[in-house]
Amino acid sequence: MKLVLLGAPGSGKGTQAARICEEFSIPHISTGAMLREQHLNNPEHNKELHERVAHGELVPDELINEMVSERIREADCKNGFLFDGYPRTNAQAVYLDSLCPVDAVVRLEVPMDLIMDRICGRRVCSECGENYHISALTAIGSEDTCPKCGGRITTRKDDNPDTVKRRLEVYAEQTQPLVGYYAAQGKLIEVAADGRPEDITREIFKLLRELT
Ligand code: AMP
């Protein structure tokens, strides 16, 4: 199954992506995570990329498309994959169609007022990458330590209110139009994503099973 998960920052893509990939045994390809691993680990390396990401701007299509084309040639992608955070522009969507058209695009829809709270409260484990909301960590008295693996809890640099505002504008301008692009191809699956994560997961699994 070749899938794209589409949704604004803070719509829960990371959480749902991990669950879908486990359920359908496909690799999770997050271009944001790949960028952080391959290009953003060292603050001295590639300053322009750092600046763009830190300000909530997209990085050039060519760089992302090249990363993706290499990644999907790897053996684990033979039976499918799930893109999280890709494509984000019309040019990326057209490129992906030329490379390897996907079967379905799951769109997570969340009202804007919820999104700011979700992103500004987002914390991530520096070891296992698990995402949490600060309120969930506070509730179990584990604000600094990952309850899953014991790793250190951190906040992503681009999860601050100014950058989040810009990321949302960029999403509305450049990524939201892909909803129409994939609807026209008959590939769009819309899911209301403002409820409990486990209910959203159940709904996604149900809709994806109808495809197979
Ligand atoms: P994410 O982890 O998906 O929120 O991505 C973090 C940041 O990486 C984004 O705000 C962009 O600056 C950059 N990025 C990730 N994926 C893409 C993409 N497909 N196209 C352009 N920039 C991207």
Side-chain angles (χ1 to χ4, degrees):
M1 197 156 13
K2 302 185 190 86
L3 302 173
V4 165
L5 194 56
L6 192 62
S11 57
K13 291 195 301 295
T15 303
Q16 297 301 335
R19 295 176 182 182
I20 296 168
C21 290
E22 196 185 345
E23 179 72 11
F24 295 95
S25 304
I26 49 177
H28 174 188
I29 307 181
S30 157
T31 46
M34 287 170 79
L35 266 179
R36 285 185 286 277
E37 276 161 26
Q38 297 178 16
H39 296 278
L40 302 174
N41 260 341
N42 179 351
E44 293 311 312
H45 172 73
N46 211 330
K47 284 214 156 80
E48 197 200 322
L49 278 192
H50 278 272
E51 287 287 301
R52 294 186 81 95
V53 174
H55 290 106
E57 305 293 338
L58 297 184
V59 307
D61 289 329
E62 298 71 35
L63 172 78
I64 294 284
N65 284 340
E66 201 181 306
M67 271 180 9
V68 162
S69 100
E70 274 178 25
R71 179 66 186 87
I72 66 170
R73 268 188 248 131
E74 287 176 29
D76 63 337
C77 293
K78 206 170 57 158
N79 297 321
F81 45 75
L82 177 136
F83 282 120
D84 159 9
Y86 179 86
R88 264 172 152 105
T89 64
N90 191 68
Q92 292 178 15
V94 170
Y95 180 80
L96 180 59
D97 272 342
S98 72
L99 195 67
C100 181
V102 295
D103 302 312
V105 175
V106 177
R107 183 204 178 194
L108 302 180
E109 276 191 272
V110 182
M112 276 299 158
D113 51 343
L114 254 186
I115 283 184
M116 275 314 252
D117 171 66
R118 278 199 187 170
I119 309 190
C120 295
R122 176 158 65 188
R123 298 294 181 271
V124 52
C125 173
S126 56
E127 295 297 320
C128 71
E130 184 74 19
N131 282 307
Y132 297 98
H133 192 274
I134 183 65
S135 57
L137 293 173
T138 306
I140 55 169
S142 189
E143 284 176 26
D144 303 318
T145 309
C146 176
K148 214 168 121 188
C149 78
R152 192 169 51 86
I153 294 291
T154 57
T155 305
R156 263 173 56 171
K157 262 205 202 127
D158 57 348
D159 277 352
N160 65 76
D162 285 344
T163 305
V164 170
K165 197 168 155 273
R166 183 61 193 145
R167 284 163 65 201
L168 290 172
E169 284 168 4
V170 168
Y171 178 81
E173 285 160 16
Q174 304 202 47
T175 310
Q176 180 99 3
L178 300 185
V179 172
Y181 179 94
Y182 286 117
Q185 294 188 358
K187 291 181 177 169
L188 194 67
I189 296 176
E190 305 233 41
V191 177
D194 52 351
R196 295 189 319 150
E198 47 281 20
D199 295 337
I200 299 162
T201 309
R202 204 171 309 116
E203 176 70 5
I204 295 174
F205 285 1
K206 188 183 103 198
L207 294 168
L208 288 179
R209 284 203 191 97
E210 285 169 8
L211 285 181
T212 54

